[in-house]
mmCIF file of all heavy atoms in Angstrom:
data_model
loop_
_atom_site.group_PDB
_atom_site.id
_atom_site.type_symbol
_atom_site.label_atom_id
_atom_site.label_comp_id
_atom_site.label_asym_id
_atom_site.label_seq_id
_atom_site.Cartn_x
_atom_site.Cartn_y
_atom_site.Cartn_z
ATOM 1 N N THR A 332 11.740 106.806 -261.723
ATOM 2 C CA THR A 332 11.698 106.034 -260.468
ATOM 3 C C THR A 332 12.542 104.763 -260.587
ATOM 4 O O THR A 332 13.268 104.388 -259.654
ATOM 5 C CB THR A 332 10.251 105.675 -260.120
ATOM 6 O OG1 THR A 332 9.466 106.879 -260.070
ATOM 7 C CG2 THR A 332 10.175 104.979 -258.775
ATOM 8 N N ALA A 333 12.441 104.095 -261.727
ATOM 9 C CA ALA A 333 13.222 102.876 -261.940
ATOM 10 C C ALA A 333 14.715 103.180 -261.939
ATOM 11 O O ALA A 333 15.521 102.402 -261.397
ATOM 12 C CB ALA A 333 12.813 102.210 -263.253
ATOM 13 N N ILE A 334 15.102 104.319 -262.512
ATOM 14 C CA ILE A 334 16.521 104.703 -262.496
ATOM 15 C C ILE A 334 16.997 104.905 -261.057
ATOM 16 O O ILE A 334 18.124 104.526 -260.698
ATOM 17 C CB ILE A 334 16.723 105.978 -263.343
ATOM 18 C CG1 ILE A 334 16.544 105.646 -264.828
ATOM 19 C CG2 ILE A 334 18.106 106.566 -263.105
ATOM 20 C CD1 ILE A 334 16.532 106.861 -265.728
ATOM 21 N N GLY A 335 16.143 105.478 -260.202
ATOM 22 C CA GLY A 335 16.501 105.639 -258.794
ATOM 23 C C GLY A 335 16.702 104.290 -258.101
ATOM 24 O O GLY A 335 17.627 104.116 -257.299
ATOM 25 N N ASP A 336 15.834 103.304 -258.401
ATOM 26 C CA ASP A 336 16.008 101.964 -257.824
ATOM 27 C C ASP A 336 17.303 101.316 -258.312
ATOM 28 O O ASP A 336 18.012 100.648 -257.534
ATOM 29 C CB ASP A 336 14.818 101.081 -258.185
ATOM 30 C CG ASP A 336 13.543 101.519 -257.484
ATOM 31 O OD1 ASP A 336 13.655 102.139 -256.403
ATOM 32 O OD2 ASP A 336 12.442 101.247 -258.000
ATOM 33 N N PHE A 337 17.639 101.527 -259.575
ATOM 34 C CA PHE A 337 18.881 100.958 -260.098
ATOM 35 C C PHE A 337 20.098 101.630 -259.464
ATOM 36 O O PHE A 337 21.133 100.978 -259.255
ATOM 37 C CB PHE A 337 18.928 101.089 -261.622
ATOM 38 C CG PHE A 337 17.863 100.285 -262.315
ATOM 39 C CD1 PHE A 337 17.253 100.755 -263.468
ATOM 40 C CD2 PHE A 337 17.456 99.056 -261.817
ATOM 41 C CE1 PHE A 337 16.279 100.020 -264.114
ATOM 42 C CE2 PHE A 337 16.480 98.310 -262.461
ATOM 43 C CZ PHE A 337 15.884 98.790 -263.612
ATOM 44 N N ASP A 338 19.974 102.940 -259.141
ATOM 45 C CA ASP A 338 21.067 103.610 -258.434
ATOM 46 C C ASP A 338 21.290 102.978 -257.057
ATOM 47 O O ASP A 338 22.436 102.775 -256.623
ATOM 48 C CB ASP A 338 20.756 105.101 -258.280
ATOM 49 C CG ASP A 338 20.937 105.859 -259.588
ATOM 50 O OD1 ASP A 338 21.722 105.386 -260.431
ATOM 51 O OD2 ASP A 338 20.296 106.910 -259.766
ATOM 52 N N LYS A 339 20.218 102.623 -256.349
ATOM 53 C CA LYS A 339 20.349 101.976 -255.038
ATOM 54 C C LYS A 339 20.962 100.584 -255.175
ATOM 55 O O LYS A 339 21.767 100.164 -254.331
ATOM 56 C CB LYS A 339 18.987 101.895 -254.368
ATOM 57 C CG LYS A 339 18.405 103.251 -254.009
ATOM 58 C CD LYS A 339 17.029 103.102 -253.384
ATOM 59 C CE LYS A 339 16.428 104.478 -253.062
ATOM 60 N NZ LYS A 339 15.058 104.344 -252.496
ATOM 61 N N SER A 340 20.577 99.887 -256.213
ATOM 62 C CA SER A 340 21.159 98.563 -256.446
ATOM 63 C C SER A 340 22.658 98.668 -256.718
ATOM 64 O O SER A 340 23.459 97.875 -256.205
ATOM 65 C CB SER A 340 20.457 97.873 -257.622
ATOM 66 O OG SER A 340 21.029 96.624 -257.901
ATOM 67 N N LEU A 341 23.048 99.675 -257.506
ATOM 68 C CA LEU A 341 24.470 99.879 -257.791
ATOM 69 C C LEU A 341 25.225 100.370 -256.561
ATOM 70 O O LEU A 341 26.427 100.111 -256.424
ATOM 71 C CB LEU A 341 24.634 100.874 -258.941
ATOM 72 C CG LEU A 341 24.189 100.373 -260.312
ATOM 73 C CD1 LEU A 341 24.219 101.501 -261.332
ATOM 74 C CD2 LEU A 341 25.079 99.220 -260.771
ATOM 75 N N ALA A 342 24.545 101.076 -255.662
ATOM 76 C CA ALA A 342 25.200 101.497 -254.421
ATOM 77 C C ALA A 342 25.525 100.285 -253.547
ATOM 78 O O ALA A 342 26.547 100.259 -252.848
ATOM 79 C CB ALA A 342 24.308 102.468 -253.658
ATOM 80 N N ALA A 343 24.649 99.259 -253.580
ATOM 81 C CA ALA A 343 24.918 98.038 -252.819
ATOM 82 C C ALA A 343 25.983 97.185 -253.490
ATOM 83 O O ALA A 343 26.776 96.531 -252.810
ATOM 84 C CB ALA A 343 23.626 97.225 -252.647
ATOM 85 N N LYS A 344 26.017 97.200 -254.811
ATOM 86 C CA LYS A 344 27.019 96.440 -255.556
ATOM 87 C C LYS A 344 27.334 97.218 -256.820
ATOM 88 O O LYS A 344 26.550 97.218 -257.777
ATOM 89 C CB LYS A 344 26.501 95.036 -255.888
ATOM 90 C CG LYS A 344 27.563 94.147 -256.507
ATOM 91 C CD LYS A 344 27.054 92.729 -256.726
ATOM 92 C CE LYS A 344 28.148 91.853 -257.303
ATOM 93 N NZ LYS A 344 27.687 90.476 -257.547
ATOM 94 N N ALA A 345 28.490 97.867 -256.828
ATOM 95 C CA ALA A 345 28.815 98.800 -257.911
ATOM 96 C C ALA A 345 29.008 98.107 -259.248
ATOM 97 O O ALA A 345 28.784 98.717 -260.300
ATOM 98 C CB ALA A 345 30.072 99.596 -257.543
ATOM 99 N N ASP A 346 29.437 96.843 -259.261
ATOM 100 C CA ASP A 346 29.711 96.152 -260.519
ATOM 101 C C ASP A 346 28.583 95.214 -260.934
ATOM 102 O O ASP A 346 28.809 94.242 -261.660
ATOM 103 C CB ASP A 346 31.008 95.349 -260.394
ATOM 104 C CG ASP A 346 30.957 94.355 -259.248
ATOM 105 O OD1 ASP A 346 30.040 94.474 -258.397
ATOM 106 O OD2 ASP A 346 31.831 93.464 -259.197
ATOM 107 N N PHE A 347 27.358 95.500 -260.450
ATOM 108 C CA PHE A 347 26.216 94.655 -260.810
ATOM 109 C C PHE A 347 25.808 94.987 -262.249
ATOM 110 O O PHE A 347 25.197 96.025 -262.518
ATOM 111 C CB PHE A 347 25.071 94.893 -259.835
ATOM 112 C CG PHE A 347 23.920 93.944 -260.017
ATOM 113 C CD1 PHE A 347 24.141 92.604 -260.314
ATOM 114 C CD2 PHE A 347 22.610 94.381 -259.890
ATOM 115 C CE1 PHE A 347 23.088 91.731 -260.475
ATOM 116 C CE2 PHE A 347 21.554 93.515 -260.051
ATOM 117 C CZ PHE A 347 21.799 92.186 -260.348
ATOM 118 N N LEU A 348 26.159 94.124 -263.173
ATOM 119 C CA LEU A 348 26.004 94.387 -264.607
ATOM 120 C C LEU A 348 24.551 94.628 -265.029
ATOM 121 O O LEU A 348 24.277 95.577 -265.779
ATOM 122 C CB LEU A 348 26.615 93.236 -265.409
ATOM 123 C CG LEU A 348 26.517 93.349 -266.936
ATOM 124 C CD1 LEU A 348 27.223 94.593 -267.431
ATOM 125 C CD2 LEU A 348 27.104 92.106 -267.599
#
Side-chain angles (χ1 to χ4, degrees):
T332 305
I334 289 172
D336 291 334
F337 295 144
D338 285 335
K339 294 178 182 178
S340 178
L341 291 172
K344 187 176 182 181
D346 57 346
F347 187 39
L348 179 60

